[in-house]
Amino acid sequence: DTEVTQTPKHLVMGMTNKKSLKCEQHMGHRAMYWYKQKAKKPPELMFVYSYEKLSINESVPSRFSPECPNSSLLNLHLHALQPEDSALYLCASSQALGDQGYTFGSGTRLTVV
Amino acid sequence: GESVGLHLPTLSVQEGDNSIINCAYSNSASDYFIWYKQESGKGPQFIIDIRSNMDKRQGQRVTVLLNKTVKHLSLQIAATQPGDSAVYFCAETPDDMRFGAGTRLTVKP
């Protein structure tokens, strides 16, 4: 298995909702990443996990809460989001932090209404 | 802060021509560079990479050139095809991966 799988592919949520994005890989990668991408912009790094521990938090608002329950799974919990949080949320993994061989998922298209 | 940037936001080429996409970087500590292709509605897809101890690396129809003196990276696509139309990003790492602004490549039939 050489893929990063993200679910759901599309999500519409209200500003008072709580939802979660899921990312899964079975390549034995020990670094996992969340990126946010707005239209016509490059992906922006949000969080980095290395060996299931949060390594980097790019000053992301607390309404985004990451979780890495095991080496294959990465979640992003969403609560009280704003319409400007609507974006494509991308998950990626690599063998180790900063290592070559990053693999990206297809993303979750999030719309906050 | 330090960033990876691109010289041209858009590039339009005729099918069959060669394409060159450029990228400037400013972090002299970066030792690994990657080019990604992103099609609409999809995640970035790895194209080719290069380490800082190399000047050139070739793949299938793609070549990456690295000029460390001027901190410049380029992606050359030979015989560009309609399927090459996408946004191309360069990215750099010493530790975590940061993306440049991107160049939209449009291939005209």
Side-chain angles (χ1 to χ4, degrees):
Chain A
D1 189 349
T2 58
E3 291 186 345
V4 172
T5 303
Q6 289 188 245
T7 54
K9 293 193 183 304
H10 301 275
L11 178 63
V12 179
M13 62 184 290
M15 290 187 283
T16 58
N17 291 160
K18 285 185 180 181
K19 296 287 184 183
S20 297
L21 309 184
K22 180 179 174 182
C23 174
E24 194 167 1
Q25 57 87 15
H26 296 286
M27 295 177 281
H29 288 178
R30 302 313 297 266
M32 296 186 76
Y33 311 79
W34 278 117
Y35 286 83
K36 173 183 177 180
Q37 187 176 27
K38 301 284 277 185
K40 300 182 180 180
K41 296 289 186 182
E44 297 176 21
L45 186 66
M46 299 176 71
F47 301 104
V48 180
Y49 273 82
S50 179
Y51 288 86
E52 295 116 70
K53 293 195 187 311
L54 185 63
S55 177
I56 296 174
N57 176 341
E58 289 290 300
S59 302
V60 179
S62 60
R63 58 186 184 269
F64 295 92
S65 175
E67 178 197 19
C68 190
N70 60 56
S71 60
S72 300
L73 280 175
L74 185 67
N75 299 319
L76 186 63
H77 303 298
L78 314 173
H79 173 54
L81 294 194
Q82 302 297 310
E84 57 265 28
D85 296 321
S86 299
L88 181 68
Y89 288 84
L90 292 162
C91 175
S93 70
S94 63
Q95 289 277 7
L97 192 63
D99 203 354
Q100 59 185 325
Y102 290 80
T103 303
F104 278 83
S106 295
T108 294
R109 175 71 61 187
L110 174 68
T111 303
V112 182
V113 297
Chain B
E2 293 182 317
S3 64
V4 177
L6 290 172
H7 297 310
L8 294 172
T10 61
L11 177 64
S12 183
V13 301
Q14 205 70 38
E15 181 178 357
D17 287 352
N18 296 334
S19 302
I20 300 176
I21 300 172
N22 296 304
C23 179
Y25 67 95
S26 57
N27 186 354
S28 57
S30 294
D31 59 2
Y32 178 59
F33 304 88
I34 311 158
W35 280 102
Y36 286 96
K37 172 186 180 183
Q38 188 175 23
E39 296 174 282
S40 181
K42 297 184 180 180
Q45 178 187 5
F46 173 91
I47 301 173
I48 192 167
D49 58 1
I50 189 168
R51 289 214 171 268
S52 59
N53 61 354
M54 301 173 70
D55 296 324
K56 179 179 179 179
R57 189 157 190 232
Q58 286 186 290
Q60 190 174 20
R61 280 201 308 118
V62 294
T63 300
V64 56
L65 299 177
L66 176 62
N67 186 331
K68 295 180 286 293
T69 303
V70 295
K71 297 189 181 68
H72 183 267
L73 193 69
S74 69
L75 176 69
Q76 300 178 0
I77 304 173
T80 314
Q81 301 169 1
D84 295 326
S85 294
V87 177
Y88 289 81
F89 293 102
C90 65
E92 60 171 339
T93 67
D95 46 10
D96 54 293
M97 190 169 60
R98 312 279 174 160
F99 284 83
T103 294
R104 178 172 296 282
L105 174 65
T106 301
V107 181
K108 296 177 289 186

